Every structure is written in C-alpha cells, then in structure tokens.
Amino acid sequence: MKKIIAIVAGVLLAAMASADDDPQQAIPARLKVMFERPDKPLDIAPVVVQADWAIVGWRQDGRGGRALMKKTHHGWSIYLCSGDSLKDTGTLETIGLSAVDATGLAAKLKDAEAGLDSSALALFSSFEGTVMNEASNGAGHAGHEGHAQ
C-alpha cells in the first residue's frame, strides 16, 4: 500500500510540475488566483510567450486589456498592464525586451489575436495608459485600476 501511495504521489507531483512549466496553463492559473472572483470570472486569452516574456489578453466584468508578464525564479508575474501599446515592437524594446524577443512576441500576439472577435479586441484596446507592477520580484501585482470604466 505504501508503494502505491508513493507512486501516486510521484505522478501527482510530476503532473503539477509540468503544469507549472507550461505557460499556457501557469499564467492563466496565476492571474485567476490574483483577480478572479465568483461573481466576476476572468477570461485569459490569448497567451503568447517568447523566452521569459509573455503577453496575455484579459477580460473581466466588461473590462479588458493586455498584461506583459515576466518569468522569474518566483514564476510568472505581471510586469505591466496596458492596451494596444503592447502590440508595438518599439514599445516592447523600450520596456526592456531584446529586439529578438520584442519582434517575436509582437508577431505571436498579432497571429493569436487574428482569430479573435472584434468585441474581445475592443476590450483589449480599452485599457487606458500603462500600470506598472509595484514589485518586479513577483511579490506584488498590478491592479486593474487603469482601464476604462
């Protein structure tokens, strides 16, 4: 019996580790823990990744925007929230991404958003300004305060 429990525990740990390694699962899971409420579900899509950077589109309670995520030793954390500016390679380079990462991320975002409906894109665009994360070490997170009401 102990052997079976040990095997099952090992399988569960391996499954959890692989989910943490997959940004398509880890990023939405982290954001939902931070922002989702029972009466306000959070929709996270698309998620595009280039090296240690990701851009995600989010929608919640009639609002939306894009978040630039950075992978650190703490996992994925919000670097900043904005709207259409995160589609621009030059803006991404100004923020600190390498030219290769900025170009790759912008191209992946363009491809991923090409299949979305216009209402989702309008919500992503509705986020006004840029809200920086207070802590770059992953301890804090940016709020949704900057988007249009």
Side-chain angles (χ1 to χ4, degrees):
M1 184 67 162
K2 288 181 183 178
K3 193 174 192 177
I4 292 173
I5 292 172
I7 292 171
V8 170
V11 169
L12 288 173
L13 286 172
M16 286 173 30
S18 66
D20 287 343
D21 292 340
D22 180 4
Q24 298 296 326
Q25 294 178 16
I27 292 171
R30 179 155 185 131
L31 292 173
K32 286 180 181 238
V33 165
M34 292 166 59
F35 296 112
E36 189 167 65
R37 304 291 174 261
D39 61 330
K40 295 181 181 179
L42 179 63
D43 179 36
I44 303 293
V47 175
V48 295
V49 179
Q50 176 76 31
D52 288 338
W53 294 97
I55 297 177
V56 301
W58 63 269
R59 294 177 280 175
Q60 183 179 40
D61 196 31
R63 300 176 183 180
R66 293 179 183 87
L68 178 65
M69 308 286 296
K70 173 95 171 124
K71 186 175 184 182
T72 68
H73 62 280
H74 294 290
W76 289 97
S77 61
I78 297 172
Y79 193 79
L80 62 82
C81 288
S82 194
D84 284 344
S85 66
L86 290 179
K87 299 190 311 183
D88 181 63
T89 301
T91 299
L92 295 172
E93 286 183 54
T94 300
I95 290 168
L97 280 71
S98 70
V100 170
D101 288 344
T103 301
L105 202 53
K108 290 176 182 179
L109 184 63
K110 182 178 180 180
D111 290 345
E113 289 186 351
L116 298 178
D117 62 68
S118 60
S119 65
L121 296 174
L123 282 177
F124 297 159
S125 299
S126 71
F127 194 100
E128 294 178 1
T130 299
V131 178
M132 297 291 296
N133 186 353
E134 296 172 10
S136 60
N137 66 3
H141 63 275
H144 294 232
E145 297 85 11
H147 56 75
Q149 296 288 323

